Amino acid sequence: VSVLNCSAFHPSIHIPLDAMHKWRNEVLAAKQRRAVGGPTGPVTDPGRVFLDIGIGGQPAGRVVVRLHHDVVPKTAENFRLLCTGERGRSRQGVELAYKGTVFHRVEKGFVVQGGDVCADGTSGVCAVPYDPAGKARDGHFDDENFLISHNRPGRVSMANKGPNTNNSQFFITLAPALHLDGKNVCFGDVISGMEVVQAVARLDTQDEAMAAAPGKKNGRDAETLVDVHRPRLEVKVTACGEVELTEEELDPEAEEKAKLRAQEEDMAKSVAGVKDAVAAVLKRKRRGPAQDAESDSAESDGANALKRSKQQPLKKKKRGLMDLSSDEDSD
């Protein structure tokens, strides 16, 4: 089978080309798909999703994630479905959407984590259809593969409670975290809005003294269920969905067409200037030397008259001052 070398993700990744072609066709089909608002709605890209973030009730910005459907199609699709909310509710009646969820965990220099559609960071439910063979149990699904490495900031990966326990929770890396390779399934990259993620990472978290609180287990107080890594200000997903395609993306030749139109306009202006210059030369030739001399003489007379008209008030003013000086001398 023909394969594509994807060493940008990981040296060992080789993706079958038929999988790439399938996903490319899905993206092309999505460009023809309209939003829920009807045929007049925007065209969106299922390969890019966004999360609008609010901090302490104030808008903080938008985070855009590129999904790697070509490497981990099921995991990427799970995240996309939770961004669009198109799956509605789960069998247990849980709203399968990231809108309204919070980032409940901030570990400076490591990750920010969120995506619990059920509660406050203690659980989660996947949005991908349950596998009839039992691959999805109790709202979880199995690890797809570990081909993409956590080798840089901005990787988007699934949080879990052990092998094959992926649900809706995810995290974004703040630094390389190679120790997560082989444990967590990475499925996307932040391509815009990393400054928003860093703003979340700078927030103060709950008192670290809670680590010694009674009933503390795995970073959590059993009675209050308040995570020591929870930010003091609420970090909420206020809106999410697929990214709208721009006019340039809908028409890849739009930018080139705009450049050609600008060049044509510049050329038209240059041609018009040349035509005006040629017309002036021809008109001057048709008038002949005598008319040109008369025209030059008239222009010269007009310029002299204008100069005299400007000098006359000055002469009158000077004459008046001289008369005043004579009168004073006579006194």
Side-chain angles (χ1 to χ4, degrees):
V1 178
S2 298
V3 296
L4 177 67
N5 183 3
C6 298
S7 56
F9 299 123
H10 192 279
S12 64
I13 297 180
H14 291 83
I15 306 301
L17 285 179
D18 57 350
M20 290 289 293
H21 294 156
K22 178 182 177 182
W23 175 241
R24 185 181 296 109
N25 291 337
E26 290 178 2
V27 172
L28 292 175
K31 291 185 178 182
Q32 306 301 324
R33 183 180 65 207
R34 297 292 175 174
V36 179
T40 57
V43 181
T44 56
D45 181 1
R48 291 177 297 165
V49 292
F50 71 88
L51 302 169
D52 286 342
I53 307 297
I55 300 178
Q58 299 298 320
R62 171 170 290 191
V63 177
V64 179
V65 176
R66 183 180 298 282
L67 303 175
H68 299 307
H69 282 84
D70 49 353
V71 182
V72 279
K74 187 172 186 177
T75 310
E77 181 65 5
N78 178 65
F79 192 80
R80 187 194 70 81
L81 289 170
L82 288 164
C83 285
T84 63
E86 62 191 78
R87 286 277 291 167
R89 293 182 176 273
S90 69
R91 294 174 180 177
Q92 296 80 15
V94 177
E95 190 74 27
L96 296 174
Y98 284 138
K99 184 177 180 180
T101 62
V102 299
F103 281 82
H104 61 274
R105 178 186 179 193
V106 172
E107 289 198 46
K108 293 176 174 58
F110 181 34
V111 299
V112 297
Q113 182 173 329
D116 186 352
V117 298
C118 298
D120 59 353
T122 59
S123 58
V125 177
C126 65
V128 289
Y130 280 40
D131 194 321
K135 293 288 185 179
R137 302 172 296 276
D138 300 325
H140 298 76
F141 64 96
D142 286 356
D143 297 327
E144 196 165 9
N145 62 59
F146 303 107
L147 294 177
I148 303 177
S149 175
H150 301 78
N151 57 1
R152 62 171 178 259
R155 291 293 203 192
V156 188
S157 185
M158 296 299 297
N160 60 43
K161 296 181 180 179
N164 302 319
T165 57
N166 302 288
N167 48 45
S168 58
Q169 288 198 41
F170 67 94
F171 61 84
I172 302 173
T173 59
L174 302 173
L178 298 179
H179 64 284
L180 299 179
D181 291 354
K183 299 177 181 178
N184 299 79
V185 180
C186 185
F187 61 87
D189 284 287
V190 174
I191 58 174
S192 175
M194 195 61 192
E195 69 279 1
V196 181
V197 178
Q198 295 292 352
V200 174
R202 288 193 295 269
L203 294 175
D204 292 333
T205 57
Q206 300 294 342
D207 194 349
E208 293 295 334
M210 293 185 62
K216 164 76 172 54
K217 184 179 181 181
N218 294 330
R220 188 179 300 280
D221 187 297
E223 295 181 357
T224 62
L225 293 179
V226 177
D227 199 319
V228 295
H229 298 298
R230 186 181 301 279
R232 290 181 179 273
L233 290 177
E234 184 180 62
V235 182
K236 180 177 287 188
V237 178
T238 58
C240 49
E242 294 178 355
V243 174
E244 295 182 13
L245 291 167
T246 63
E247 292 297 328
E248 290 76 12
E249 290 171 324
L250 286 171
D251 183 4
E253 298 180 357
E255 185 176 356
E256 189 65 26
K257 291 177 181 177
K259 289 182 180 179
L260 289 175
R261 283 196 298 270
Q263 292 175 359
E264 290 174 356
E265 292 174 0
D266 292 341
M267 187 176 295
K269 291 179 181 178
S270 299
V271 171
V274 171
K275 286 182 177 179
D276 291 342
V278 171
V281 170
L282 293 176
K283 183 177 180 181
R284 196 175 184 88
K285 286 185 176 181
R286 284 196 296 268
R287 287 187 306 188
Q291 291 183 353
D292 288 343
E294 292 177 1
S295 177
D296 292 341
S297 177
E299 290 177 359
S300 178
D301 293 342
N304 292 333
L306 179 61
K307 184 177 181 180
R308 286 195 298 272
S309 66
K310 290 181 179 179
Q311 291 176 347
Q312 283 178 358
L314 295 175
K315 290 181 178 180
K316 289 181 179 179
K317 185 175 181 180
K318 186 176 181 180
R319 190 180 301 114
L321 292 173
M322 291 176 63
D323 293 343
L324 180 61
S325 177
S326 299
D327 293 340
E328 289 177 352
D329 292 342
S330 62
D331 292 342

